[in-house]
Amino acid sequence: MPVDPTGADLKRFLAEDPGGPVVMLNLLQFREDGASSYREYTERIGPFLEKVGGEVIHAGDLGTALVAPDGWSWDALLLVRYPSRQAFSQMVADPEYQQITGLRTAALDEAVLQAGVSWPI
């Protein structure tokens, strides 16, 4: 299972943009000893998030699943809010950001990276 979006994934992500802020859901399954590499990635991502107006909403370990499909096994959850899909795309295209993405890639065995749009409540 790939853990990084491709250029085609990012094009589709932008093409399907409903506008407005986006919350990126990151479900993470670490490789053996990958958690420390991912934590280093999260420590170093701060300036890149600030640059595009993004913020971490939640980062932490996942515990017992109360309702989930068989085999559902994620180690951690990261929720990041961006002011727009374009802001996310701008961040991941930043050459300096790309220098730290290897930490994320090396840390993960599997991942889900999915855009969430707020409901008008």
Side-chain angles (χ1 to χ4, degrees), residues 55-119:
E55 66 175 315
V56 173
I57 298 170
H58 176 82
D61 295 330
L62 289 173
T64 304
L66 298 175
V67 177
D70 289 342
W72 182 271
S73 177
W74 299 103
D75 297 318
L77 167 70
L78 178 68
L79 295 172
V80 184
R81 180 183 296 123
Y82 296 90
S84 65
R85 289 185 182 208
Q86 185 59 44
F88 173 84
S89 183
Q90 179 183 341
M91 184 188 78
V92 299
D94 183 322
E96 290 182 32
Y97 169 79
Q98 290 177 6
Q99 292 178 17
I100 70 165
T101 60
L103 293 168
R104 180 185 181 281
T105 303
L108 298 174
D109 195 28
E110 292 190 45
V112 169
L113 180 59
Q114 188 169 358
V117 179
S118 295
W119 292 343

Side-chain angles (χ1 to χ4, degrees), residues 19-40:
V22 62
V23 174
M24 296 301 289
L25 165 69
N26 293 256
L27 291 174
L28 312 167
Q29 186 178 77
F30 299 123
R31 295 180 190 269
E32 190 171 322
D33 299 323
S36 61
S37 179
Y38 197 87
R39 285 192 184 98
E40 183 180 347

